[in-house]
Amino acid sequence: MKPVTFLVAVLGLAACDSQVETRKVEVPAAEQARSLPAAAPLSAAGPAATVQPDTDANQQWAASVVELTPLTRQGDRTVKLFGTAGGDPAMNGLYTHVAFFDSPAEGWRVFRIGDFLDYRVLSETPGRVDLEVNESSMDGATGTIGSRKRRVIIGWAVATDGSVPATISVTPAQ
């Protein structure tokens, strides 16, 4: 009985992989065909260069970005939504942010929107993006994990001087 219990425990722990990056995203064949035109494989035209792993600690954080959505209707301002892997993938795990590029000296101003399974942009206008988010939910009485979809409006003031917003708002929506 003990080997069976051990095997069940090991398999259970393996299923609780905290690395959301291991989730596979299936891309429909039609989309794959659009994204890469048919081409013959390349042939080497010189010696290969050996590249070592990047040891900059910030690269670990950058590699945890698993979703990126540029917002293209924000005028001259560079704005994006992005999600990083983290937390328990059984209960959400996509830490979702909106980021505004300020300047090379200041970098990005980043606001965390929430912790979801995923998000989808429904619409976008200057100073606003409407999202549908899919998130885990837990029944407090039974401990059963389920999921739900909800909608939110992410809003911010568009400054006449082009500066990045000091705050944003996250409003429940229908």
Side-chain angles (χ1 to χ4, degrees), residues 10-171:
V10 168
L11 291 174
L13 288 173
C16 292
D17 180 8
S18 67
Q19 301 300 314
V20 176
E21 295 96 338
T22 60
R23 293 188 298 187
K24 292 189 178 185
V25 176
E26 292 187 27
V27 178
E31 188 175 325
Q32 287 179 3
R34 276 194 315 260
S35 62
L36 295 175
L42 297 176
S43 298
T50 302
V51 178
Q52 299 298 321
D54 193 326
T55 58
D56 181 348
N58 290 321
Q59 296 305 328
Q60 289 297 315
W61 189 89
S64 73
V65 173
V66 294
E67 184 141 349
L68 177 65
T69 309
L71 299 180
T72 58
R73 296 187 172 116
Q74 302 305 317
D76 293 335
R77 177 67 50 207
T78 301
V79 184
K80 62 184 171 184
L81 292 170
F82 70 95
T84 59
D88 180 356
M91 283 295 291
N92 301 310
L94 182 67
Y95 295 145
T96 305
H97 305 80
V98 61
F100 302 83
F101 187 71
D102 191 356
S103 68
E106 297 296 323
W108 293 88
R109 182 163 299 162
V110 180
F111 300 91
R112 185 167 167 183
I113 298 168
D115 182 11
F116 311 120
L117 290 169
D118 60 26
Y119 65 85
R120 181 171 66 102
V121 174
L122 299 174
S123 66
E124 175 194 354
T125 58
R128 175 180 169 147
V129 62
D130 296 348
L131 299 180
E132 179 178 76
V133 297
N134 186 18
E135 61 189 349
S136 300
S137 60
M138 182 177 291
D139 183 321
T142 66
T144 304
I145 297 174
S147 67
R148 67 178 177 213
K149 288 187 188 241
R150 64 185 181 97
R151 294 177 174 193
V152 295
I153 300 165
I154 311 303
W156 58 91
V158 178
T160 56
D161 66 358
S163 62
V164 298
T167 62
I168 66 164
S169 62
V170 180
T171 307

